[in-house]
Amino acid sequence: MNGTSINEKLLEQIDRIELSERILAWRRAMRSAPWKLYADREKYTVQSWRETEGEDIQLRRAKLVKKVLDNIEIAILDFDVIVGRPTPGVIGACTTIDVAGDYIPDLWDDDGEINLTLNANAGVDRESLDILRESSMLFKGKTAREMTEKAWEAVYGSWPKDVTDAKIKDPTLDVSIYGQVTSVLMWDKILSKGLGHFIDEARSHIDAFRRRKDPDVSKLYFWESAVIVCQAVIDHARRYAALARDMAASEKDPARRAELLKIAETCQYVPEHPARTFREALQAMAIVNVCKLLEHPMHNFAQWGRGDQYLYPYFKNDIENGTVTLEEAAELLAELIGRWGTQIFVTNESQRESHQVNFGINNILLGGLDKEGKDASNELSYLFLHLVGLLQLSSPTVGIRWNRQTPDWLMKKAIETNMKTKGGIPLFQNDEVMICHYMDDGIPYEEACQWCGLGCVYPCLPTRAEHYGAEGIAGYNLAAVLHLALHNGVAVTGKRVGLETGDPRNFKTFDELYDAFKAQHRYVTERIFHLAAIARNEQHKYLRLPLISTLGLQASMDLGQDVLIPHPDYAMFGISDRAVIDVADSLIAVKKLVFEERKLTMEELMAALDSNFEGPRGEEIRQLCLRQPKFGNDIDEVDLMAKDVSAFSAGVIRSYDNAPFRNYMVAREGLAWHYFGGLGVGALPNGRKAREPLNDGSASPMRGMDTNGPTAVIRSVLKAGFEDSYAQVLNQKFTAAILGSEESREKLMQFTKAFMLGGGTHIQYNITDTEELKEAKVKPQEHKDLIVRIGGFSAYFVQLSPEIQNDVIDRSEQTL
């Protein structure tokens, strides 16, 4: 039985909803609008930083946020009913130089454009460019990123840069991920209490601090900063209220005038006060999130968390009371989904390679178990899916928290939505496995069941501060580690970053090679985690994030401590060790070709690898490598090798002593990391050529090599187990034609259930024909809206690099 009584008639009504003319007008404007870079935010950060010189870092950052929110240009566009954008444009981005330093490669060019993705640019005018450059000069040498880089260099010399250049670990520090910046806010508390409550809470702490004569003045500064930023958010909402009233005064259309007055009324009330209606809840979220983004625009994208849970009471009450019609509620929700799903941003060069994302990644998970152990899927879950299917955007990342109680009506709607979006939206994650992982790590069920998605698929807890990636440590390239073992510690860059484990040409047994891989792994792991600890100790000296600390984590308010100063009781750390399958396939190939069947000597194999399979025997040897057993075909030997590699890698990571904090957890996500990671790996014994993309996802077979059908794929994944990782991303590609019937969609639903019942953690589907992908590559203008699943996120196919386009095209096209 489900925990929620479902109104089946309401589900039928939802199925009949179409996008309103207002939403269609927004979509037309969004698609035709030029991408533009705005320097407004940077202008006010520069002013604030000069005004507050000499003050405490916590208060300086709070006043910087206030300066931006009080002055940045705002706009209400003709189709807006929900207001709150980071820029006045339909499609616009602002920068975060004050946090990341000079991180924009094109900043010093004069061609009037800034590159945002590998092949998408945003226009920037001369005045804005001058503002950005002024900011770069002001903050040069003062950012947390630069000071941490100096600390790393003081300890390890050039090694941190060398290991990063070799794509062995990522991200680079100029990506500027910091604790909690990619995580979900406390939406339930924000909506039910209002920001006025946060201010009262901070002031209560200030009064208590003074009464007890606490000597730690940093706590006082934190609570004062909390008051400043919360009031700034409230004032920012009131700026929209004032603008709406001004616009209403001159509006000739009575209907639009009424809408503008409603906007003014709503923004005057929320987010200061608790939301009373569905409209007020969504409006409060819009304002709060845009302010969060303006604190640090590179990564503070909207994260819905479990939106179908905390928004459900407002939705249900309004529908039942007649406060809004279903169509009105759907239009409001579609507006916020669309706006958050089309937020562009400026990032650094390395993230363009690792993400290849067109829009900021935001995540919503639907359904899942509640605190009573019952499935919490509801009509709003269904409406989210329906609107995502109608909008057909590459973002948000939508996930179904599957469990044994997940109702068929939600699964059927999810498959139908996937058919409409084509590109892996929604994905399916195993709720029960995820909760068990957290509980095995000592998290109580009441917390564990509230897990939600971060970015692509990485799990996080709203009650804990997530530091995944926050110290320049998120991805770990096992294929690059194998490259070190095959080259006596020398990376693809030609620099020695690993141990001297010996020339593999002299290895007499397979175990010597495997032991060399393990030794390289332990050596690099120990060092990069030390880098993380150094960063953790340095970053908070030069940066604070008072808004996200106040609204993102209750512990920060209780402790009087910014989230950039991690606390042992609340901080969570994780890493994504990737390319398990590439390593397993490669090790099996060496084991069989060299040490068992003796078809090649190690000398011959290494000559082929070092020449990238060129030369007289290059292609012959590559074909031998490709013909060796591959993961994804239900072959015990290679599947169990993947299991062993996975267990070893996770064991090294989890055994690292991260005291006084929790040990690292392992969660292998997706992104376009396989393109980025592949740039750091030479030719591999699995037959892959040098610097080509690695296998996609983290449990996906080598492209084109899973030839025994989808059932064999999931058998391989289940056999390998990957019990050591919270998430293990599996991509599968099906033709749209074979899923055209209700019967075939039922088969896909049962296929998904079977995988989850067997213990699978994650699966997602590209439902598009290979011929369509090939045509889109040749005629991009005719396929601008074609969405594909890359790794853990979706993107518009025509905006991807040619290497990733080919990667998606070459994946096996499965049938049921």
Side-chain angles (χ1 to χ4, degrees):
M1 292 291 292
N2 296 336
T4 304
S5 177
I6 298 302
N7 183 339
E8 294 185 4
K9 289 185 177 179
L10 189 57
L11 300 186
E12 293 174 3
Q13 288 178 266
I14 290 172
D15 281 332
R16 294 192 292 270
I17 287 178
E18 299 290 341
L19 293 180
S20 69
E21 181 51 43
R22 184 195 309 278
I23 301 301
L24 292 173
W26 162 79
R27 191 165 66 174
R28 289 191 295 270
M30 180 270 297
R31 288 175 172 174
S32 62
W35 289 18
K36 185 178 178 183
L37 189 64
Y38 291 82
D40 218 15
R41 177 190 177 276
E42 217 66 58
K43 172 183 176 181
Y44 296 111
T45 63
V46 167
Q47 289 183 14
S48 176
W49 208 245
R50 286 175 173 154
E51 291 167 357
T52 61
E53 187 173 358
E55 296 186 33
D56 179 80
I57 183 68
Q58 188 78 39
L59 294 174
R60 289 191 83 182
R61 291 301 306 184
K63 291 178 181 180
L64 184 151
V65 172
K66 173 178 169 56
K67 186 78 170 184
V68 170
L69 298 184
D70 284 353
N71 293 282
I72 198 167
E73 183 182 356
I74 62 173
I76 300 175
L77 305 182
D78 290 343
F79 34 72
D80 289 350
V81 172
I82 302 291
V83 298
R85 301 173 183 274
T87 70
V90 181
I91 297 290
C94 44
T95 59
T96 186
I97 292 170
D98 55 300
V99 175
D102 189 354
Y103 72 103
I104 306 171
D106 312 318
L107 184 60
W108 302 98
D109 296 338
D110 292 317
D111 57 7
E113 288 189 329
I114 295 288
N115 184 237
L116 300 185
T117 69
L118 284 180
N119 57 10
N121 296 336
V124 57
D125 58 62
R126 184 70 209 192
E127 181 183 359
S128 296
L129 196 59
D130 288 343
I131 291 170
L132 299 180
R133 290 173 177 177
E134 181 185 8
S135 180
S136 178
M137 295 303 296
L138 175 66
F139 289 101
K140 183 178 179 61
K142 303 172 186 175
T143 62
R145 160 245 173 146
E146 292 162 289
M147 300 308 290
T148 300
E149 287 172 343
K150 289 180 181 178
W152 281 3
E153 185 177 3
V155 178
Y156 284 112
S158 67
W159 190 86
K161 184 178 187 306
D162 293 341
V163 79
T164 301
D165 289 345
K167 316 296 187 188
I168 294 173
K169 76 107 186 139
D170 65 276
T172 51
L173 287 174
D174 56 349
V175 169
S176 290
I177 296 175
Y178 294 99
Q180 204 70 7
V181 300
T182 56
S183 297
V184 68
L185 294 178
M186 294 187 290
W187 289 124
D188 196 11
K189 181 179 177 182
I190 291 167
L191 298 182
S192 63
K193 301 288 188 180
L195 266 57
H197 173 86
F198 286 80
I199 292 174
D200 292 342
E201 196 175 354
R203 285 175 173 160
S204 176
H205 281 297
I206 291 170
D207 291 343
F209 172 88
R210 289 180 170 139
R211 284 197 305 271
R212 66 176 179 266
K213 297 180 173 59
D214 192 328
D216 188 357
V217 73
S218 66
K219 296 178 183 178
L220 174 66
Y221 292 154
F222 174 81
W223 289 314
E224 288 180 340
S225 76
V227 173
I228 292 170
V229 294
C230 286
Q231 187 60 54
V233 175
I234 293 168
D235 292 343
H236 193 68
R238 288 174 177 165
R239 290 184 64 205
Y240 276 101
L243 177 59
R245 283 193 293 268
D246 288 345
M247 292 174 67
S250 58
E251 177 59 55
K252 294 183 172 55
D253 179 5
R256 182 56 178 165
R257 186 185 310 118
E259 289 174 349
L260 289 166
L261 291 174
K262 187 65 176 179
I263 289 170
E265 175 190 335
T266 305
C267 289
Q268 194 69 33
Y269 188 78
V270 293
E272 180 179 10
H273 303 288
R276 299 165 296 188
T277 65
F278 191 57
R279 177 194 292 267
E280 288 182 351
L282 293 176
Q283 181 59 79
M285 292 176 68
I287 290 290
V288 167
N289 189 75
V290 79
C291 295
K292 166 179 174 274
L293 187 146
L294 288 168
E295 183 177 39
H296 177 16
M298 199 191 300
H299 290 288
N300 270 355
F301 311 125
Q303 300 295 345
W304 289 87
R306 302 187 73 186
D308 63 339
Q309 302 304 304
Y310 57 78
L311 284 170
Y312 184 62
Y314 303 99
F315 171 76
K316 183 180 180 182
N317 289 342
D318 281 8
I319 294 296
E320 291 180 351
N321 296 336
T323 305
V324 295
T325 65
L326 177 61
E327 289 73 20
E328 290 169 337
E331 183 181 74
L332 291 168
L333 185 58
E335 183 170 351
L336 198 56
I337 292 172
R339 185 175 309 166
W340 283 2
T342 53
Q343 177 59 53
I344 63 173
F345 67 112
V346 189
T347 187
N348 72 326
E349 191 168 4
S350 68
Q351 192 172 14
R352 295 173 198 174
E353 296 172 342
S354 63
H355 286 51
Q356 295 202 25
V357 65
N358 318 113
F359 297 100
I361 303 172
N362 64 102
N363 188 302
I364 179 167
L365 284 184
L366 303 174
L369 297 171
D370 62 17
K371 291 183 179 180
E372 284 71 47
K374 297 178 180 179
D375 182 78
S377 306
N378 56 49
E379 299 94 334
L380 187 55
S381 318
Y382 199 84
L383 180 60
F384 264 109
L385 285 173
H386 186 76
L387 294 174
V388 165
L390 292 176
L391 288 166
Q392 296 182 19
L393 303 172
S394 65
S395 186
T397 291
V398 183
I400 301 297
R401 279 182 44 168
W402 179 92
N403 60 83
R404 285 173 174 81
Q405 301 175 49
T406 299
D408 282 354
W409 56 260
L410 187 70
M411 289 294 288
K412 288 178 180 177
K413 190 66 172 178
I415 298 296
E416 290 173 6
T417 303
N418 200 164
M419 288 287 296
K420 292 178 180 178
T421 60
K422 296 188 177 183
I425 305 173
L427 57 84
F428 301 89
Q429 287 183 275
N430 194 323
D431 199 30
E432 297 169 355
V433 168
M434 198 72 72
I435 291 172
C436 284
H437 270 304
Y438 275 121
M439 293 178 66
D440 288 345
D441 280 347
I443 303 294
Y445 174 84
E446 292 73 19
E447 278 190 82
C449 71
Q450 295 302 312
W451 73 275
C452 51
L454 181 161
C456 289
V457 300
Y458 190 94
C460 66
L461 296 172
T463 49
R464 309 273 172 145
E466 184 54 64
H467 290 262
Y468 173 63
E471 289 88 27
I473 309 298
Y476 188 41
N477 190 343
L478 298 185
V481 173
L482 178 59
H483 182 96
L484 295 181
L486 289 168
H487 295 86
N488 199 20
V490 176
V492 71
T493 57
K495 294 186 178 181
R496 184 177 302 284
V497 299
L499 290 172
E500 293 188 48
T501 48
D503 187 337
R505 294 167 180 82
N506 300 324
F507 292 165
K508 303 302 181 186
T509 66
F510 169 75
D511 287 343
E512 288 183 75
L513 174 61
Y514 201 7
D515 287 345
F517 167 77
K518 291 177 178 179
Q520 298 289 356
H521 191 306
R522 293 189 188 97
Y523 174 78
V524 176
T525 300
E526 187 76 20
R527 281 193 160 206
I528 66 171
F529 282 165
H530 187 208
L531 293 179
I534 293 170
R536 194 178 308 150
N537 192 55
E538 289 295 303
Q539 290 172 340
H540 64 83
K541 299 175 185 177
Y542 310 100
L543 178 69
R544 301 294 169 85
L545 296 171
L547 181 56
I548 194 171
S549 299
T550 302
L551 302 183
L553 190 69
Q554 183 61 42
S556 286
M557 177 68 83
D558 296 341
L559 294 166
Q561 182 171 298
D562 195 276
V563 75
L564 264 71
I565 308 172
H567 190 280
D569 292 344
Y570 301 100
M572 300 287 285
F573 301 89
I575 193 167
S576 180
D577 55 336
R578 299 283 301 281
V580 169
I581 309 306
D582 305 78
V583 171
D585 283 349
S586 295
L587 289 174
I588 285 291
V590 178
K591 185 171 185 280
K592 297 186 79 65
L593 287 173
V594 177
F595 296 104
E596 292 182 354
E597 299 174 1
R598 301 191 181 278
K599 292 181 179 179
L600 293 173
T601 65
M602 201 67 187
E603 177 74 42
E604 290 171 324
L605 177 60
M606 289 306 303
L609 296 179
D610 289 345
S611 68
N612 199 23
F613 298 110
E614 300 294 334
R617 295 193 63 201
E619 186 58 27
E620 174 197 346
I621 292 175
R622 179 169 180 261
Q623 291 303 318
L624 275 174
C625 292
L626 287 171
R627 286 197 295 270
Q628 299 314 298
K630 293 290 188 289
F631 180 83
N633 292 291
D634 194 16
I635 301 171
D636 287 351
E637 186 176 20
V638 67
D639 298 344
L640 295 177
M641 176 60 78
K643 183 181 183 71
D644 196 70
V645 172
S646 171
F648 165 75
S649 179
V652 172
I653 290 167
R654 291 177 66 81
S655 65
Y656 175 81
D657 184 3
N658 199 39
F661 304 102
R662 298 177 69 89
N663 283 4
Y664 279 81
M665 60 182 267
V666 174
R668 298 166 181 144
E669 56 174 357
L671 302 170
W673 182 93
H674 58 300
Y675 170 84
F676 170 86
L679 297 175
V681 185
L684 287 175
N686 65 355
R688 169 200 158 275
K689 287 192 170 184
R691 300 183 187 271
E692 286 185 350
L694 299 166
N695 299 341
D696 68 87
S698 49
S700 299
M702 187 176 183
R703 52 190 168 276
M705 301 306 291
D706 46 336
T707 57
N708 290 347
T711 302
V713 173
I714 65 171
R715 283 176 177 164
S716 285
V717 175
L718 295 177
K719 202 184 307 172
F722 306 119
E723 295 94 343
D724 314 279
S725 175
Y726 276 63
Q728 197 81 20
V729 176
L730 173 62
N731 281 307
Q732 288 284 271
K733 184 170 77 173
F734 290 93
T735 65
I738 69 160
L739 292 175
S741 69
E742 185 175 342
E743 179 185 4
S744 61
R745 291 194 292 273
E746 176 71 22
K747 284 183 181 179
L748 186 58
M749 185 175 77
Q750 296 304 326
F751 176 81
T752 306
K753 284 185 180 181
F755 178 63
M756 295 297 182
L757 285 167
T761 61
H762 176 117
I763 196 166
Q764 55 198 20
Y765 306 114
N766 269 318
I767 303 179
T768 184
D769 299 330
T770 298
E771 290 306 313
E772 182 183 8
L773 295 171
K774 290 179 179 178
E775 182 179 296
K777 191 176 179 183
V778 177
K779 302 177 181 178
Q781 289 302 313
E782 297 178 17
H783 298 270
K784 290 189 294 185
D785 298 328
L786 177 61
I787 300 170
V788 293
R789 197 71 169 180
I790 310 306
F793 75 102
S794 300
Y796 295 106
F797 180 79
V798 299
Q799 295 184 5
L800 296 167
S801 67
E803 293 86 353
I804 289 297
Q805 288 181 333
N806 290 338
D807 168 70
V808 177
I809 289 171
D810 291 341
R811 295 177 193 176
S812 296
E813 195 170 77
Q814 305 286 13
T815 60
L816 288 172

